[in-house]
Amino acid sequence: MKHRFLIVGLLLLFGLSSVWAQTEPPVVDSMVVDSTELFPAAVSDVQVVDKPNDHGHAVIVTWETSADDGGGKNNVLRYEIFYSTSFDGPFDSVGAVPAGTGEFRHIGSKEPLDSAFVPDYTDLFYQIDAVTADPTIRTTSDVLGPVQCSGQWFNTGRIPVLVAVLIFGLLTAFFVLSAKRGKKLYVRPIGGIEAVDDAIGRATEMGRPILYVLGLGSAADVATIASFTILGRVAKRVAEYQTELIVPTYDPIVMSVAQEVVKSSYFDAGRPEDFKEDCVHFVTQSQFAYVAAVNGIMLRELPATCVYMGKFFAESLLLAETGSLAGSIQISGTDEIAQIPFFIVACDYTLIGEELYAASAYLGREPKLLGSLKAQDWAKAAFVALAIVGLLAANFEWFEFTTLFQVID
Amino acid sequence: MAYLGVIISMLVIFGGLAWLLFRSIKGREVERRVIFVFIFVAVAAPILFPITFEEHASPVVKGLFDHIDTLPPGSRVLISFDYDPAMAPEVQPMANAISFHCLDRGHKVVFMSLWATGQTLLFNTLEDVIRPEFPDLIDGVDFISTGYKAGNEGVLNVIVSDFKKMFPTDVNGVPLDSAVIFDEINSCADFDLIVALGGGRPGPKEWVLFVGDPADVPIGVGVAAVVAPQLYPYYPRQIIGMLGGVKGAAEYESELAHRHERFKNMAQPGLKMMGPQTLAHIVIICFIVIGNVAFFRSRRREGR
Amino acid sequence: MRRTTYIVVAGVVLLFGLSWVLHAVSMSGEADGIERAFMITMAAFLTLAIYSFLYKDNPFYKFAEHLYVGVSAAYWMCQAFWSTIVGNLFPRLSEGLSNYFQQPYQASGWNITYWIPVILGIMLLMRLTEKYGWMSRWPLAMIVGTTAGLNFVRYLRSDFVVQVSSTFMPLLGEDPHRWQGFGAFISNLDLSATGQLAAIVSNWVIFFGVICGIIYFYFSKEHSGAFGRASRLGIWILMITFGASFGYTVMGRISLLVGRITFLFRDWLEIIS
Amino acid sequence: MRRQIPFGLVFIFGIFMVFQFFVPHEKSEWVYEFLLDWIIVIGIFALALGIWSLFKVSVEKIKQGKEGGNYSYITLVGLYMMVAFGFTQQTGEGWGLYFLWIMLCSACIVSLMRLRASTDSGKKRMWALASVGFLVAAVLVAIFDDAWAFFLYTPEGLENSMFEIFFDHIMMPILATMFSLLAFYIASAAYRAFRARNVLASLLLLAALLVMSRFNPVIPGAEYVANASNWLMNVPNLAAQRAIVIGIGLGIVGTALKIILGIERGYMGRG
């Protein structure tokens, strides 16, 4: 009984108060009321998950944007994200995103001493503020969490690459094996390759040396490794014709590998006694000093043939123009796209991009080396086919296909 | 004296080219060293005697120029210096010309930088343009420099809604709250125009994505020539105008000299740098023509 | 011949001295003016020595070239020693060593593994001996193997898988430049990035350009018939872009020359301000 | 056996790096970072090989008495001086006998080179004596001069003003000048090569002319030229770049795979 009175009383009071609130204008500072009205709605439906496919130390926070973002009062300018290792805080700001965004990737450092460190296997809690143009006017969401982050052992985002690796590997293995079994593989004529032999013959006739430049790449650059194979071929010919070979190098490791390659070519040609180690020598590890020295060699030794194969940068034109001044036949090949125009303009023969690798496989004179060339061609055919299908997919808005090739990080 | 130099060097260059053309019609090749001499003269002459060429502002450059010109005096403009000394030869002339233009039109200008190296270059502009040209303008009232703030895109994310949170004071340590110019500026949305100068990251692209689009502020950019083709797709929807490389700077300067008497007597580094560029390009084009003339002559002779 | 060489060298030395003296006089008010005058003269001399190569190879160029080779090799050596060996390796090798070099020791239970590259590095130096030369192949194998594995997956991803998806594009344009009928199309023939022509034709050019370019790089099939024609178109597109990038680069190279000539005229000859 | 082990190593490291790519876990990342660090350290050791080769070739040039062989002295003295600057620094007000010391050491280097280059034993003895003499003198100067000191443990040498002067006034001017030679060469290459010999050369020529004429103040329609050259750089250029990139990418992938599997062995020499 008592309770009933109490409840009725409270209800009456509540009703009265609401009537009072409607009739009486509030006697408070109008600014404050304005700002209470200006407070945007909080974000909703917040999800926190460990960021997949990473080394840990990262969390993805997603949310439904505030009702006042792009609609309603339309006063949200950005969202600020806070995190803490305990439910009660204190919460640290970890970043902000502009309005209209519903996701934040909190990528922490893995170094425990770093201020941005985010621990793995620890409960983490998040809060999101919807902030207006006046940063004091903001609405904080509920505390979200806990979430734990950790590293994964397989990156599912890279499955397309894994498939490509497997297919390419199998194709290569297949063609290498069939080449080993003696199947003949056709390779279309490549301009610069035939020129190499002629150029060596020319040098012999003229009694002038051959200059071979391996570029600025390190011994680990694939272009340099392709160049080693071509160097081996050139050196063998040089040994047979008993011409002089000069190989100035930019990198000491490249130098020692090149020495080894030239040496074994002389062995193969049956003239190990003609090999002089100093024909392959180190210059300096400074781009333009190297160019200055090679230019000097060109004008002093007047090589009949200059071969540039490997990685080249701004020095490409300096070398090639000086070579043409020295009256040399010049053959070049690089996979550095920006330098191809200069070689094309200044050299007699240029291997464009992939032709360098093809030439390397071709000049290696081992049928199994050509196997991978065949696999590369299959990959190109696959590319064309996929591009056509993908084009249709893009035009007819069949997005399942286009997303197949997305590599996510 | 300078005119005499210009006339003589032009005579040397074009007379020489005509003579070479004449020789090549007779079927003779030009020696390499002759080409080297021509290139040297074509570059050196405009440095010695300022040879400038008429530049016409293309619509992309005009877009930014007209926007600054038509804004009512007293409008608020933010200019950000996001580049390093390597880019400075291309971008600094733009920075100077745009700063001059804004202040000459009576706009209130805020200078800032997202690159640590930009602060010195920003200081250079203040020294070269404002001190000598606008001695009456007051720091903090008509213009202000907030200097550099670390944080790259993070800075943009904050200043888009709260400028003073990232820049509590100006470069001299004076609180922005006490600066008159900041009375009506709280966030980037309060600017009437933002000019982003640079070419790296963070740079114009980030200004467009993080500030221009969300806060709906017109953005004009000035970039190094190599970056310009990548920014074209943003024009004119997200960028109102763009200055690309020295050429963009030169076009802006010539437009400025046309419309503002005062600027005619000032240093015009962009136009000055275009002299060697234009002459050298013309010389190379002429040599290509001469080479082809010689080539066709010799082929005809062989054909006979 | 010899006499002219001597006369030229003497003349250059005289000019060098004259330039030094004149600069020193003009900088006499400043501290270490004589040294700075020498350095500016030296820099100008080296600049001109390199340019003299444009005429022909000569003793001045040879001097500059040989000096540059020696100094730059030493410069990289010093940098490599201080930054890599002292800065990175010693702080991990042993505490005593890093204290000796006044570097903060970076403690970790796995620092012992840093002796492996040291041993491999010493094995590399074994090349210098006849007998143990074979050892140098081990470190080489490690370097080549590691980077080959790295390149294999990375290039397959960035130069193949990613390129496949970026070639998918709508051939009728995207909003707001979508195909709006023939009349609308021919009324907007602007080549700048905003026009409908640019948006639609560009997509076609890119798509067929890529396909034809790839056909050009196809090695195991004879380039004849329709295939040959596509490959021909491919190499045309390649040539057009090589020409265009050559033309585009001219500007940057001229800027470099402007920089050097400005140095000669302003800092050395002081004839412009 | 000796020949097989390196290929085994190539295979193991190569396969590990391929697996590593798909394993984002901290542990795999950690090994990956270690491996990359190792490569840098090994590279530094290789520099010693390079310097030795430089010395040997320089001496060889003098020995052969080739024209211009004497310039090798400049290379090695320059090398030595820069290294010396990198490890010494001024401690007092002036430089004291520093430059005498540099001279003595340079003289020592030159005598060593002559020692290696000379063939008859009388001369050999003379140069050996000279180099020992210069060395002793240099050591004495180093001991008794307090104006400067060696800094073998801390990189004070990099702040040695002589080191900086050599960098700013010798290396940088030559570097910038070498680079600017390209302005001349780009012109001579254009003159020589841009000739309408055939279709390909004509296309190359026309595209270059079009792009270069955006700087032309004479021809009307400069704006259209600028647009067209931008379009060339944005559209056909993109297509060609992509075609080349795919080709190069596959070339690298194919060659890398051959290396890992031990099919491509040319880089290892033999024996």
Side-chain angles (χ1 to χ4, degrees):
Chain A
M1 250 352 234
K2 251 188 199 165
H3 291 286
R4 198 176 286 166
F5 277 112
L6 193 64
I7 290 167
V8 171
L10 277 175
L11 276 176
L12 267 176
L13 202 64
F14 181 73
L16 276 175
S17 71
S18 63
V19 169
W20 176 77
Q22 269 186 353
T23 50
E24 285 290 308
V27 217
V28 278
D29 192 334
S30 64
M31 269 304 286
V32 176
V33 169
D34 274 348
S35 62
T36 39
E37 279 175 356
L38 280 171
F39 277 112
V43 300
S44 54
D45 196 19
V46 185
Q47 311 268 337
V48 281
V49 285
D50 172 34
K51 184 175 171 299
N53 301 325
D54 68 348
H55 65 189
H57 311 289
V59 171
I60 298 182
V61 189
T62 53
W63 61 90
E64 285 292 319
T65 51
S66 154
D68 296 319
D69 174 6
K73 292 193 278 284
N74 203 3
N75 59 352
V76 177
L77 212 53
R78 65 192 162 107
Y79 297 105
E80 201 168 346
I81 293 87
F82 297 85
Y83 106 117
S84 170
T85 46
S86 84
F87 186 83
D88 306 317
F91 282 85
D92 295 328
S93 172
V94 287
V97 289
T101 329
E103 189 192 82
F104 177 76
R105 284 159 182 253
H106 178 209
I107 307 212
S109 161
K110 61 176 182 178
E111 304 296 335
L113 297 177
D114 198 317
S115 60
F117 175 69
V118 174
D120 272 354
Y121 306 110
T122 311
D123 283 348
L124 304 173
F125 300 88
Y126 284 84
Q127 258 186 349
I128 299 158
D129 280 9
V131 189
T132 61
D134 180 353
T136 56
I137 301 178
R138 52 169 73 209
T139 312
T140 306
S141 73
D142 298 334
V143 175
L144 268 304
V147 63
Q148 290 195 345
C149 47
S150 62
Q152 282 77 38
W153 286 99
F154 182 69
N155 187 341
T156 50
R158 286 177 175 173
I159 287 178
V161 183
L162 183 65
V163 173
V165 164
L166 291 176
I167 293 176
F168 193 82
L170 287 176
L171 274 175
T172 308
F174 173 75
F175 286 112
V176 166
L177 287 179
S178 67
K180 250 185 176 170
R181 268 188 253 114
K183 192 166 185 287
K184 264 228 166 291
L185 298 174
Y186 171 83
V187 173
R188 77 161 162 87
I190 300 172
I193 298 186
E194 311 300 327
V196 171
D197 281 349
D198 296 346
I200 298 169
R202 177 175 180 260
T204 320
E205 276 167 31
M206 298 173 78
R208 277 159 47 176
I210 290 173
L211 180 78
Y212 194 104
V213 182
L214 286 153
L216 301 194
S218 73
D221 277 314
V222 183
T224 316
I225 291 182
S227 181
F228 285 141
T229 312
I230 301 174
L231 172 66
R233 165 78 170 174
V234 170
K236 197 171 161 213
R237 274 305 165 91
V238 164
E240 283 163 5
Y241 285 119
Q242 293 184 293
T243 315
E244 201 190 331
L245 177 70
I246 308 171
V247 188
T249 59
Y250 169 82
D251 182 298
I253 299 186
V254 169
M255 175 198 75
S256 48
V257 177
Q259 279 174 350
E260 204 62 30
V261 168
V262 174
K263 194 172 163 189
S264 41
S265 295
Y266 272 79
F267 263 100
D268 287 346
R271 297 183 188 278
E273 70 283 356
D274 287 351
F275 172 67
K276 286 191 264 11
E277 202 178 53
D278 289 341
C279 76
V280 182
H281 60 87
F282 173 74
V283 180
T284 170
Q285 220 159 4
S286 158
Q287 185 185 14
F288 286 103
Y290 176 73
V291 179
V294 175
N295 279 357
I297 293 173
M298 280 184 197
L299 287 197
R300 278 155 230 158
E301 310 282 341
L302 297 174
T305 305
C306 299
V307 186
Y308 315 104
M309 301 274 172
K311 273 215 169 307
F312 289 88
F313 300 94
E315 72 283 358
S316 57
L317 190 64
L318 285 174
L319 294 172
E321 270 298 290
T322 314
S324 94
L325 181 64
S328 320
I329 290 274
Q330 304 195 86
I331 305 164
S332 59
T334 183
D335 65 353
E336 203 54 47
I337 299 176
Q339 302 307 324
I340 297 174
F342 302 109
F343 274 142
I344 290 214
V345 166
C347 292
D348 300 278
Y349 301 94
T350 302
L351 301 173
I352 303 168
E354 195 189 0
E355 288 181 330
L356 168 68
Y357 298 102
S360 158
Y362 186 79
L363 286 175
R365 290 288 155 154
E366 270 188 82
K368 59 181 182 179
L369 286 180
L370 290 175
S372 74
L373 212 55
K374 193 90 184 164
Q376 279 159 239
D377 276 355
W378 273 85
K380 272 172 260 174
F383 179 91
V384 171
L386 288 174
I388 292 171
V389 177
L391 183 82
L392 296 175
N395 279 302
F396 295 104
E397 295 174 358
W398 175 33
F399 295 116
E400 288 86 350
F401 182 78
T402 48
T403 47
L404 269 183
F405 293 89
Q406 272 166 20
V407 183
I408 310 148
D409 276 312
Chain B
M1 183 61 200
Y3 277 110
L4 201 64
V6 172
I7 290 164
I8 290 173
S9 44
M10 287 301 205
L11 270 179
V12 167
I13 294 171
F14 290 104
L17 284 172
W19 180 62
L20 289 176
L21 183 67
F22 179 68
R23 267 170 48 110
S24 69
I25 290 172
K26 285 187 168 173
R28 294 176 63 182
E29 291 283 334
V30 181
E31 215 208 327
R32 188 184 303 251
R33 291 165 198 162
V34 176
I35 302 174
F36 294 160
V37 170
F38 272 87
I39 290 292
F40 184 83
V41 175
V43 174
I47 297 177
L48 275 182
F49 324 104
I51 300 175
T52 50
F53 295 89
E54 187 84 353
E55 292 286 343
H56 298 283
S58 50
V60 200
V61 173
K62 238 179 150 136
L64 179 58
F65 184 91
D66 289 345
H67 193 92
I68 294 179
D69 226 41
T70 48
L71 276 178
S75 302
R76 292 167 294 260
V77 180
L78 174 72
I79 304 181
S80 184
F81 288 58
D82 312 327
Y83 55 97
D84 58 6
M87 271 186 270
E90 286 185 79
V91 183
Q92 195 82 29
M94 304 173 191
N96 289 356
I98 294 173
S99 307
F100 174 88
H101 191 195
C102 289
L103 292 168
D104 195 48
R105 287 285 304 153
H107 302 323
K108 312 276 177 216
V109 185
V110 178
F111 298 97
M112 62 167 279
S113 170
L114 294 174
W115 285 38
T117 43
Q119 186 159 326
T120 344
L121 300 161
L122 163 54
F123 184 73
N124 288 349
T125 293
L126 295 184
E127 282 294 301
D128 296 346
V129 178
I130 298 177
R131 293 280 133 69
E133 292 300 322
F134 304 98
D136 305 335
L137 297 188
I138 305 158
D139 192 346
V141 178
D142 302 301
F143 70 92
I144 196 163
S145 162
T146 57
Y148 159 72
K149 192 62 72 181
N152 299 338
E153 293 94 324
V155 176
L156 296 181
N157 266 331
V158 175
I159 62 172
V160 71
S161 59
D162 186 1
F163 204 93
K164 289 171 200 160
K165 183 170 181 193
M166 214 64 223
F167 293 96
T169 67
D170 76 351
V171 73
N172 304 318
V174 181
L176 289 194
D177 285 326
S178 65
V180 182
I181 191 168
F182 267 95
D183 280 354
E184 290 167 33
I185 301 175
N186 290 316
S187 71
C188 281
D190 297 325
F191 286 105
D192 300 299
L193 172 69
I194 294 174
V195 181
L197 304 165
R201 187 189 166 96
K205 216 176 198 163
E206 283 68 33
W207 275 100
V208 170
L209 297 179
F210 291 97
V211 178
D213 287 354
D216 200 22
V217 185
I219 296 227
V221 301
V223 291
V226 282
V227 201
Q230 296 164 24
L231 281 164
Y232 256 87
Y234 292 105
Y235 168 82
R237 261 175 295 152
Q238 287 146 296
I239 294 175
I240 55 160
M242 176 169 76
L243 277 57
V246 180
K247 191 161 168 59
E251 286 175 13
Y252 199 94
E253 282 170 5
S254 76
E255 192 71 16
L256 204 53
H258 267 293
R259 305 243 210 120
H260 294 255
E261 277 298 316
R262 258 180 83 192
F263 191 70
K264 268 188 186 157
N265 308 321
M266 280 179 58
Q268 294 159 356
L271 276 171
K272 221 171 154 184
M273 270 158 77
M274 277 305 282
Q277 290 287 1
T278 312
L279 260 186
H281 274 81
I282 293 173
V283 166
I284 295 177
I285 291 173
C286 289
F287 271 115
I288 294 177
V289 171
I290 291 171
N292 277 289
V293 168
F295 169 70
F296 280 113
R297 280 294 305 187
S298 69
R299 201 160 75 167
R300 252 177 71 183
R301 206 173 291 166
E302 277 163 24
R304 261 180 212 163
Chain C
M1 176 59 212
R2 256 198 115 77
R3 189 195 266 169
T4 38
T5 315
Y6 283 130
I7 293 172
V8 170
V9 171
V12 170
V13 169
L14 204 70
L15 280 178
F16 187 100
L18 189 68
S19 150
W20 185 8
V21 170
L22 288 177
H23 270 279
V25 169
S26 74
M27 289 188 210
S28 56
E30 302 164 39
D32 57 311
I34 294 176
E35 272 170 48
R36 283 195 29 222
F38 180 79
M39 283 306 159
I40 285 178
T41 309
M42 187 73 187
F45 166 74
L46 291 172
T47 303
L48 293 174
I50 297 289
Y51 280 145
S52 70
F53 183 72
L54 289 172
Y55 181 67
K56 65 175 204 189
D57 191 24
N58 62 72
F60 300 112
Y61 175 76
K62 285 182 193 163
F63 172 80
E65 170 207 323
H66 283 87
L67 182 67
Y68 186 25
V69 167
V71 170
S72 65
Y75 178 79
W76 292 114
M77 226 172 77
C78 291
Q79 290 288 352
F81 180 80
W82 289 121
S83 65
T84 311
I85 299 214
V86 175
N88 274 332
L89 181 64
F90 286 167
R92 298 219 169 88
L93 276 186
S94 84
E95 196 164 357
L97 210 54
S98 46
N99 286 342
Y100 204 56
F101 282 88
Q102 299 174 20
Q103 295 287 324
Y105 179 62
Q106 297 180 10
S108 152
W110 292 93
N111 275 346
I112 191 90
T113 53
Y114 274 92
W115 285 101
I116 297 175
V118 173
I119 293 165
L120 287 174
I122 291 167
M123 283 170 84
L124 194 69
L125 293 181
M126 286 297 165
R127 281 198 59 79
L128 296 175
T129 67
E130 269 303 294
K131 205 174 159 194
Y132 300 105
W134 56 270
M135 275 190 177
S136 67
R137 297 219 178 92
W138 288 33
L140 207 66
M142 187 245 152
I143 295 177
V144 170
T146 310
T147 43
L150 196 68
N151 285 330
F152 178 54
V153 274
R154 251 139 251 248
Y155 279 94
L156 198 56
R157 176 204 155 162
S158 66
D159 286 12
F160 189 75
V161 180
V162 172
Q163 299 296 335
V164 171
S165 58
S166 50
T167 311
F168 301 162
M169 51 179 70
L171 288 186
L172 290 182
E174 276 170 298
D175 287 327
H177 300 304
R178 192 173 268 283
W179 179 255
Q180 288 145 352
F182 195 67
F185 182 71
I186 54 169
S187 65
N188 187 357
L189 292 177
D190 192 3
L191 264 185
S192 70
T194 55
Q196 200 187 4
L197 174 77
I200 293 176
V201 172
S202 300
N203 282 3
W204 282 80
V205 170
I206 292 175
F207 183 76
F208 286 102
V210 173
I211 302 278
C212 292
I214 286 181
I215 288 175
Y216 171 76
F217 285 113
Y218 205 88
F219 296 106
S220 53
K221 187 170 166 19
E222 214 167 323
H223 286 188
S224 57
F227 196 73
R229 275 196 290 278
S231 137
R232 190 111 194 104
L233 189 62
I235 186 74
W236 284 8
I237 291 176
L238 291 187
M239 282 298 161
I240 290 174
T241 61
F242 291 152
S245 17
F246 188 98
Y248 221 84
T249 323
V250 173
M251 187 173 93
R253 303 303 185 233
I254 300 294
S255 299
L256 296 169
L257 184 58
V258 170
R260 277 336 277 168
I261 293 182
T262 311
F263 162 77
L264 286 179
F265 284 173
R266 191 186 56 199
D267 298 350
W268 183 50
L269 294 177
E270 295 177 355
I271 46 178
I272 55 167
S273 54
Chain D
M1 189 58 197
R2 268 186 201 171
R3 187 160 161 62
Q4 293 308 323
I5 288 178
F7 291 110
L9 284 177
V10 168
F11 182 77
I12 292 168
F13 282 107
I15 290 290
F16 170 78
M17 289 310 266
V18 173
F19 273 109
Q20 195 281 330
F21 183 75
F22 297 102
V23 179
H25 200 272
E26 226 172 313
K27 297 238 162 46
S28 104
E29 215 172 46
W30 181 82
V31 180
Y32 164 84
E33 280 163 13
F34 256 71
L35 283 181
L36 294 192
D37 265 2
W38 289 6
I39 290 178
I40 296 171
V41 172
I42 297 175
I44 300 295
F45 278 88
L47 207 53
L49 279 183
I51 299 292
W52 172 244
S53 163
L54 188 63
F55 180 76
K56 236 171 66 177
V57 171
S58 302
V59 172
E60 194 63 27
K61 269 194 205 154
I62 296 167
K63 208 175 190 172
Q64 286 172 355
K66 264 194 191 168
E67 196 209 323
N70 290 337
Y71 288 97
S72 301
Y73 292 121
I74 298 172
T75 303
L76 287 194
V77 169
L79 177 96
Y80 155 72
M81 276 161 82
M82 197 67 174
V83 171
F85 295 149
F87 288 88
T88 49
Q89 171 67 299
Q90 177 180 14
T91 49
E93 276 293 296
W95 276 105
L97 298 175
Y98 188 61
F99 295 99
L100 176 68
W101 175 75
I102 292 277
M103 289 298 160
L104 284 171
C105 290
S106 305
C108 176
I109 295 272
V110 170
S111 341
L112 277 175
M113 287 173 74
R114 296 248 44 141
L115 171 67
R116 258 191 86 90
S118 52
T119 39
D120 84 86
S121 61
K123 273 196 174 155
K124 258 191 176 345
R125 195 175 312 137
M126 187 182 96
W127 288 116
L129 273 177
S131 56
V132 170
F134 285 127
L135 188 67
V136 170
V139 169
L140 286 177
V141 170
I143 291 173
F144 291 107
D145 192 5
D146 293 335
W148 55 277
F150 282 97
F151 286 90
L152 293 178
Y153 312 122
T154 46
E156 249 96 11
L158 296 187
E159 276 128 47
N160 183 342
S161 58
M162 286 309 289
F163 191 82
E164 281 168 355
I165 282 176
F166 262 55
F167 181 76
D168 289 340
H169 295 277
I170 290 180
M171 275 181 73
M172 286 324 280
I174 301 183
L175 186 149
T177 313
M178 282 302 295
F179 205 176
S180 73
L181 284 183
L182 279 171
F184 296 105
Y185 282 174
I186 212 167
S188 68
Y191 167 74
R192 200 163 45 81
F194 282 150
R195 298 189 173 186
R197 285 193 194 88
N198 49 36
V199 185
L200 292 186
S202 312
L203 287 173
L204 195 72
L205 159 73
L206 289 177
L209 274 183
L210 177 75
V211 171
M212 275 198 269
S213 50
R214 74 196 192 284
F215 276 101
N216 198 318
V218 191
I219 297 177
E223 188 200 319
Y224 204 78
V225 170
N227 270 342
S229 58
N230 264 324
W231 186 79
L232 271 184
M233 291 308 285
N234 268 341
V235 180
N237 189 33
L238 183 69
Q241 290 241 1
R242 192 170 290 159
I244 299 174
V245 156
I246 291 167
I248 290 172
L250 287 174
I252 291 179
V253 167
T255 315
L257 188 62
K258 281 190 284 184
I259 293 167
I260 298 172
L261 298 179
I263 299 168
E264 163 83 71
R265 298 182 165 202
Y267 63 94
M268 208 62 108
R270 55 166 241 177

